[in-house]
Amino acid sequence: MRVRLTFPTELIQRPIVYHLVKDFGIVPNIRRADVRADHGWMVLELEAAQDTLEEGVAWLRRQGITVDPIERDVVLP
């Protein structure tokens, strides 16, 4: 699964990717990222069983992170 995560300012300092690994067993591959003091985004390839990926993505959204699926380097609407 490839996704783009967009972080609100208040979540920039939180170890979000760490929690995907530790709490869900999702293996991330960071493809691109731009994280600054006031905003941040990451493009990730995520590997795990489909149900685990769905749980992880749902958790990200509950945290307030925007999760957009990516197909061939294009963010899908």
Side-chain angles (χ1 to χ4, degrees):
M1 172 184 285
R2 292 186 69 177
V3 294
R4 177 182 167 119
L5 307 181
T6 305
F7 298 85
T9 304
E10 63 272 10
L11 296 180
I12 295 295
Q13 298 296 319
R14 295 211 29 224
I16 298 298
V17 175
Y18 166 80
H19 284 289
L20 286 178
V21 174
K22 182 179 179 292
D23 300 341
F24 297 95
I26 294 173
V27 178
N29 182 14
I30 301 170
R31 303 297 296 175
R32 293 187 187 115
D34 183 12
V35 181
R36 300 175 189 219
D38 61 339
H39 71 278
W41 60 266
M42 301 176 88
V43 173
L44 301 173
E45 291 175 347
L46 303 174
E47 290 187 30
Q50 187 63 34
D51 59 332
T52 301
L53 289 172
E54 290 171 6
E55 288 176 28
V57 167
W59 176 81
L60 289 168
R61 289 184 171 134
R62 285 193 306 273
Q63 302 310 301
I65 297 167
T66 302
V67 181
D68 296 306
I70 295 178
E71 187 173 301
R72 294 186 182 173
D73 293 331
V74 176
V75 176
L76 301 174

